[in-house]
């Protein structure tokens, strides 16, 4: 197992019957919509892993995400403040989502992000698009 690597990002997890909890890591510049996208996913039944900073570590061939103790169970709702959220502990990380300002390519080639020495598929999208939640759900479906 490699040591946890703190990343400026947000992570949320979804329960998948027969598979268990699977997390996505949402990254992007400040104000890109990381917490906003996470809140919309939480509204669809996902659980918060960590907001603002995420510890990512490898164990075996897999990647895992967890919250630093100091921020566990809290998420920023811009315009409202810091609020509590139902949290999921250590979760296997299966997808990286990078929030971009320019419009992503219509039909991009598959890409990946390397974290803690392992690679996960990478999805680039605009976080505030109404369809962002559905795009994340479609991207995680086969994982």
């Amino acid at each position: 197992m490699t040591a946890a690597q703190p990343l400026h990002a947000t992570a949320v997890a979804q329960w998948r019957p027969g598979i268990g909890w699977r997390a996505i890591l949402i990254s992007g510049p400040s104000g890109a919509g990381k917490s906003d996208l996470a809140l919309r996913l939480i509204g669809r039944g996902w659980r918060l892993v960590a907001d603002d900073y995420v510890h990512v570590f490898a164990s075996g061939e897999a990647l895992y995400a967890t919250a630093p103790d100091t921020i566990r169970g809290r998420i920023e709702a811009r315009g409202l403040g810091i609020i509590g959220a139902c949290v999921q502990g250590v979760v296997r990380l299966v997808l990286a989502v990078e929030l971009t300002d320019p419009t992503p390519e219509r039909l991009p080639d598959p890409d990946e992000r390397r974290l803690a020495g392992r690679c996960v598929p990478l999805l680039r999208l605009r976080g505030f698009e109404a369809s962002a939640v559905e795009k994340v759900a479609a991207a995680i479906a086969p994982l």
Side-chain angles (χ1 to χ4, degrees), residues 5 7 9-14 21-27 46 49 54-59 61-66 89-97 113-116 118-121 140 143:
Q5 171 189 352
L7 298 172
T10 294
V12 290
Q14 178 188 51
W21 289 99
R22 294 293 181 255
I24 65 165
L25 182 77
I26 307 168
S27 64
W46 293 54
V49 176
V54 181
H55 286 303
V56 173
F57 63 94
S59 181
E61 294 301 313
L63 282 170
Y64 294 88
T66 191
V90 177
V91 184
R92 185 168 180 179
L93 185 61
V94 297
L95 178 70
V97 176
R113 181 164 180 196
R114 190 166 190 80
L115 301 162
R118 307 291 183 276
C119 291
V120 292
I140 198 174
L143 301 177

Side-chain angles (χ1 to χ4, degrees), residues 1-118:
M1 181 171 78
T2 62
Q5 171 189 352
L7 298 172
H8 179 67
T10 294
V12 290
Q14 178 188 51
W15 174 258
R16 310 256 331 268
I19 297 173
W21 289 99
R22 294 293 181 255
I24 65 165
L25 182 77
I26 307 168
S27 64
S30 181
K34 296 180 292 293
S35 298
D36 186 87
L37 178 57
L39 284 167
R40 287 184 281 145
L41 288 164
I42 291 167
R44 300 267 178 107
W46 293 54
R47 287 214 185 142
L48 178 68
V49 176
D51 183 45
D52 201 29
Y53 283 93
V54 181
H55 286 303
V56 173
F57 63 94
S59 181
E61 294 301 313
L63 282 170
Y64 294 88
T66 191
D69 290 336
T70 55
I71 61 171
R72 187 176 318 278
R74 295 188 296 240
I75 186 169
E76 179 184 351
R78 195 173 287 253
L80 180 61
I82 306 298
I83 61 173
C86 188
V87 69
Q88 192 61 37
V90 177
V91 184
R92 185 168 180 179
L93 185 61
V94 297
L95 178 70
V97 176
E98 182 181 306
L99 302 184
T100 64
D101 188 26
T103 302
E105 294 180 43
R106 287 180 60 207
L107 301 170
D109 290 327
D111 204 353
E112 58 189 20
R113 181 164 180 196
R114 190 166 190 80
L115 301 162
R118 307 291 183 276

